[in-house]
Amino acid sequence: SDFRKSRAPNFLAMVVAMLGRVAVVTGANKGIGLHIASQLVSSGLFGAVVLACRDAGRGDAAVKQIGGGASGVSGGCELMPLNVGDAASHAAFKNELQSKYGRLDLLVNNAGTAFKASDPTPFPKQTKPTLDINFRGTLDLTETLLPLMTGATPRDPRIVNVASMAGKLSQLSQPLQNKFSSPELTLSGLRGLIDQFEQEVYAGTHEASGWSKSNYGMSKLALIAATKVLARDYPSIKVNACCPGWCDTDMTSHQGPRPPAEGAKNAMLPATMANPPTGAFFKNEAVAEW
């Protein structure tokens, strides 16, 4: 039995390679992320669905709720610790994924944060924490995992960024809209624009300069912009963004009318549909204008 135990990870990886693809969902311990993970398991299209969670207790509960067990085989799900926005955590997560499966076929960037409307934290103090998770951390994690999604091993690799209608382009002045939607925009250029927004918030000039009045909106706009740049930069990967809609979750203080299982379908579509577009934005289960 000791021999069997020592061989288990390699055998597991072989079985997964034969049975199906490997999916990761960040922030999968509750809300929309939990429903995305559950629907991926139910789809039967994946040999392993990894719930990447910051909170191990909630993550374990989510795995039990979905009913995947810890095997990760035959459509099962498992927990791997991940703190989006922490570079050391990103690297450790990539190493664990690489040693266990050697590849990644679907990345659903669902983890995110939002200050409540009633939060007394001043607007400028909300800017960096919101951008650091929803945009910078998400993009850093994606770039860390990209080597597992390129090359010969991945099968039909896809990235789905869970964004929001709050990320609409029209919240910016026309000159800034042109910069964010430019087909020449690069990831470093995009990071620079977001740094500029942050600096203007601190200077108190962001509204006069044509920037958004919403930190959350800017973070999601940046994520949609990143989706389009990644789609251009990595033609072998289908990269799309989605808006799940105003859902009944902790993030909305359960004010949203849409059940999270319905909202999750907006991520499932680009994640699982045949011949998806790339660089697109999905809402209400269809491709939509940004």
Side-chain angles (χ1 to χ4, degrees):
S1 69
D2 285 347
F3 172 76
R4 281 219 313 271
K5 274 182 201 157
S6 71
R7 301 295 297 164
N10 292 340
F11 175 71
L12 178 66
M14 280 169 49
V15 172
V16 167
M18 288 187 292
L19 283 180
R21 292 151 68 230
V22 179
V24 164
V25 184
T26 68
N29 55 284
K30 61 177 185 168
I32 291 160
L34 173 64
H35 287 277
I36 294 169
S38 178
Q39 289 173 29
L40 288 174
V41 170
S42 300
S43 76
L45 296 171
F46 298 89
V49 176
V50 176
L51 280 62
C53 302
R54 187 181 51 180
D55 186 313
R58 277 186 177 151
D60 278 332
V63 168
K64 289 192 179 75
Q65 186 179 332
I66 294 171
S71 69
V73 170
S74 193
C77 65
E78 66 177 293
L79 175 68
M80 280 191 197
L82 174 68
N83 188 4
V84 174
D86 178 332
S89 176
H90 297 177
F93 181 82
K94 184 217 172 187
N95 291 341
E96 186 172 355
L97 203 60
Q98 186 160 20
S99 65
K100 192 156 193 183
Y101 298 117
R103 73 169 203 266
L104 175 59
D105 305 290
L106 170 66
L107 171 61
V108 181
N109 284 313
N110 167 77
T113 188
F115 284 84
K116 306 284 187 191
S118 58
D119 194 300
T121 308
F123 185 89
K125 289 217 165 86
Q126 296 185 16
T127 303
K128 184 170 161 52
T130 305
L131 295 173
D132 279 357
I133 291 177
N134 294 357
F135 170 63
R136 294 177 182 128
T138 299
L139 184 52
D140 290 349
L141 173 68
T142 302
E143 290 188 303
T144 300
L145 296 177
L146 275 168
L148 298 180
M149 304 192 76
T150 51
T153 327
R155 284 156 49 192
D156 189 13
R158 304 184 187 194
I159 297 170
V160 179
N161 293 321
V162 179
S164 168
M165 269 308 294
K168 62 186 181 290
L169 204 50
S170 61
Q171 67 193 292
L172 298 174
S173 68
Q174 193 60 53
L176 284 170
Q177 287 184 40
N178 295 344
K179 286 183 181 181
F180 277 89
S181 60
S182 166
E184 272 77 57
L185 184 65
T186 62
L187 291 179
S188 63
L190 175 57
R191 283 186 167 106
L193 284 169
I194 292 304
D195 290 348
Q196 188 186 335
F197 166 70
E198 188 180 344
Q199 294 310 313
E200 295 224 31
V201 167
Y202 299 150
T205 57
H206 64 288
E207 287 188 52
S209 298
W211 293 97
S212 172
K213 300 175 192 173
S214 166
N215 287 312
Y216 181 78
M218 270 313 299
S219 73
K220 293 299 188 177
L221 184 150
L223 185 58
I224 298 167
T227 301
K228 294 178 179 292
V229 178
L230 287 164
R232 290 196 295 270
D233 288 354
Y234 295 90
S236 68
I237 306 175
K238 304 293 189 189
V239 190
N240 292 290
C242 71
C243 171
W246 187 240
C247 293
D248 178 8
T249 62
D250 285 354
M251 186 178 272
T252 69
S253 300
H254 300 279
Q255 298 300 303
R258 181 177 287 180
E262 290 297 306
K265 290 179 183 175
N266 289 290
M268 287 297 293
L269 196 56
T272 61
M273 70 187 283
N275 307 309
T278 193
F281 177 60
F282 285 76
K283 70 167 184 172
N284 298 323
E285 295 173 57
V287 173
E289 287 295 305
W290 177 11

